[in-house]
Amino acid sequence: MFSDELERLRQENLLRRVCDRDLEATTARILINGAEYINFSSNDYLGLASHPSITEAAKRAIDGYGLGSGASRLLSGGTELHGKLERMAAEFKGTEAALVFNSGYTANISAIPSIAGAIAGKGDVIFSDEFNHASIIDGCRLSKAKKVIYRHRDTSHLSELIKKEEGKRKIVITDTVFSMDGDIAPLKEISDICREHNAIVYIDDAHGTGVLGDGRGALEHFGIKPEPWPNAQIIQMGTFSKALGSYGAYIAADRDVIEWLINTARGFIYSTALPASIIAASIEALQILQKDTILVKKLWQNRERLLKGIRELGFDTMNSETPIIPIIVGDMETTLKFSELLTKHNIYAPAIRPPTVKIPRIRITVTASHTEEDIDKLLDVLSKITQ
Ligand SMILES: *Cc1c(COP(=O)(O)O)cnc(C)c1O
């Protein structure tokens, strides 16, 4: 039975394969089966995953606390480092408090159902951008709230839909940077609409943290200050697993929201705490980011160089505004072939297909670790392939 289904996926060019790497020295290089590629697929935007002071911090924490954490936070799994990271994340995001989750996926599938639909009889309504990340979609599915999907970044559509739900508790959820398109949600308009309709804004800043607003994230980028509730009801989710080069995630918000999550978010309550080594790495990464924005500047310089080159070659890069640059090359088969050709030229940039996206594309992410030569090599290969 499964073999027939798998064969169907194969026929439709939809079969996915795991592609594990060998030892890797930097973010910009990847070794697979002994061959070396320039890696344009990593979300480690600042190259922090292999930063020596971060890996050292993790090693020291293993020596001090051991490896596994042994229990959930509500039992005995937490360490003083967990609390320290939460205070740092809250300060970094300008909120009263923060809570660490084991991953971004866990944060969304746990926090969304506990924020929306968890209080019986309130008739909560979630408004979700149609291109939101799968973990948000799953969080919405687990929530007992009513779900309303608005067109991608379309604030007049959102406005129209939100007016129909007067009197209900409302939560608007959006990615800040859309992970497959590289465009940015219009947060200023969204937060104005939410203020007008007394709705909660829940942002997923997985690709904004460390990238936008000098690394502080999407709110900083738009100059939105998280005011105390109930003036502005903003809940910020973000991850340590992308630009911060570590692992895990956080929700930063008002103290009451965080306490509510501690009491109701199932992925927080019923899962073993992250190991201290990972927490120590995230602490060090946040410190590096707060001390110096040189890596963020390098990231954006690289992004400008690459985007300019790709556009000069005549590719459709959709509405990319960030280091995530999709390039549209054709149907599914063409996109897969294109990705294979890139691999032949030692460039690693995978094809992204349905159901992750509607329109197949090559998704390129550029990082602070790429050199100008790496970027020029990619541009050279792109121009050769299209000739
Ligand atoms: C990657 C991602 C997540 C999941 O984060 P993990 O830490 O990888 O589980 C959630 N939301 C968005 C928008 C993402 O891109």
Side-chain angles (χ1 to χ4, degrees):
M1 179 176 97
F2 288 113
S3 66
D4 294 343
E5 285 303 304
L6 285 167
E7 186 49 36
R8 180 183 62 79
L9 288 180
R10 204 183 328 269
Q11 296 282 334
E12 291 173 11
N13 285 314
L14 286 173
L15 194 70
R16 298 164 186 248
R17 279 180 304 129
V18 170
C19 194
D20 287 336
R21 58 196 164 88
D22 306 342
L23 278 176
E24 178 201 32
T26 68
T27 306
R29 289 286 177 286
I30 187 166
L31 282 171
I32 300 171
N33 297 328
E36 189 181 279
Y37 304 88
I38 308 178
N39 186 10
F40 285 101
S41 72
S42 177
N43 300 319
D44 178 23
Y45 296 107
L46 303 176
L48 293 180
S50 48
H51 192 289
S53 74
I54 295 177
T55 53
E56 272 312 313
K59 287 176 202 165
R60 275 199 309 278
I62 290 180
D63 290 340
Y65 296 94
L67 184 62
S69 68
S72 72
R73 285 289 289 294
L74 289 174
L75 296 178
S76 55
T79 65
E80 59 205 334
L81 297 181
H82 290 72
K84 180 176 177 189
L85 178 60
E86 287 169 345
R87 287 189 297 278
M88 286 176 69
E91 200 203 317
F92 192 58
K93 292 291 170 179
T95 61
E96 279 183 1
L99 187 66
V100 167
F101 283 80
N102 288 2
S103 70
Y105 187 85
T106 307
N108 280 335
I109 65 161
S110 315
I112 293 170
S114 84
I115 289 160
I119 308 172
K122 289 279 178 193
D124 296 356
V125 187
I126 294 173
F127 300 85
S128 178
D129 185 291
E130 64 174 324
F131 287 1
N132 274 345
H133 190 262
S135 55
I136 294 179
I137 297 171
D138 293 357
C140 292
R141 284 178 182 157
L142 284 170
S143 161
K144 295 196 182 84
K146 174 179 171 184
K147 294 95 189 172
V148 176
I149 312 298
Y150 62 91
R151 285 192 295 270
H152 182 48
R153 291 164 80 211
D154 187 339
T155 46
S156 42
H157 194 211
L158 171 63
S159 212
E160 194 183 302
L161 294 168
I162 218 167
K163 282 184 191 134
K164 294 185 186 156
E165 306 289 347
E166 281 312 330
K168 310 263 180 62
R169 227 171 131 259
K170 297 178 280 294
I171 297 100
V172 175
I173 308 183
T174 184
D175 282 17
T176 58
V177 174
F178 289 86
S179 53
M180 296 297 139
D181 295 64
D183 51 0
I184 304 175
L187 288 185
K188 198 109 198 151
E189 289 83 351
I190 290 176
S191 69
D192 287 347
I193 292 171
C194 287
R195 203 183 273 257
E196 188 186 336
H197 294 276
N198 194 28
I200 296 173
V201 190
Y202 180 108
I203 59 170
D204 177 337
D205 211 17
H207 293 274
T209 303
V211 174
L212 296 180
D214 274 341
R216 287 186 169 269
L219 290 192
E220 180 82 15
H221 173 80
F222 285 104
I224 301 170
K225 292 260 173 299
E227 297 165 47
W229 287 41
N231 285 346
Q233 308 175 52
I234 301 181
I235 297 174
Q236 304 180 59
M237 174 271 179
T239 66
F240 300 113
S241 54
K242 286 169 179 154
L244 288 160
S246 177
Y247 194 76
Y250 60 86
I251 304 257
D254 190 76
R255 197 167 281 121
D256 287 347
V257 173
I258 297 305
E259 203 172 343
W260 177 253
L261 292 176
I262 292 171
N263 284 277
T264 59
R266 295 170 68 84
F268 173 79
I269 301 171
Y270 298 107
S271 190
T272 300
L274 283 178
S277 54
I278 293 296
I279 302 291
S282 300
I283 289 174
E284 183 65 22
L286 264 186
Q287 272 162 354
I288 290 173
L289 189 58
Q290 277 173 292
K291 233 185 286 163
D292 192 352
T293 54
I294 190 164
L295 289 170
V296 182
K297 292 205 174 72
K298 180 80 195 310
L299 168 67
W300 282 93
Q301 276 165 13
N302 282 347
R303 187 262 174 191
E304 293 316 319
R305 186 181 185 93
L306 181 57
L307 186 81
K308 184 167 167 284
I310 291 179
R311 292 222 166 127
E312 275 169 14
L313 290 170
F315 284 103
D316 175 1
T317 54
M318 305 184 74
N319 293 313
S320 169
E321 300 173 77
T322 63
I324 301 169
I325 307 176
I327 53 180
I328 308 296
V329 294
D331 63 12
M332 206 111 73
E333 207 178 331
T334 319
T335 310
L336 279 178
K337 288 227 172 76
F338 201 96
S339 174
E340 277 163 27
L341 277 171
L342 287 173
T343 314
K344 286 210 176 86
H345 287 89
N346 296 88
I347 300 276
Y348 191 74
I352 309 287
R353 293 168 280 171
T356 308
V357 290
K358 285 194 195 124
I359 306 166
R361 70 201 59 181
I362 305 288
R363 175 183 182 263
I364 291 173
T365 50
V366 65
T367 71
S369 296
H370 289 107
T371 61
E372 291 189 349
E373 291 74 39
D374 292 338
I375 291 166
D376 294 347
K377 167 87 197 279
L378 170 60
L379 291 171
D380 185 46
V381 170
L382 285 174
S383 80
K384 277 194 189 124
I385 293 181
T386 44
Q387 262 165 23

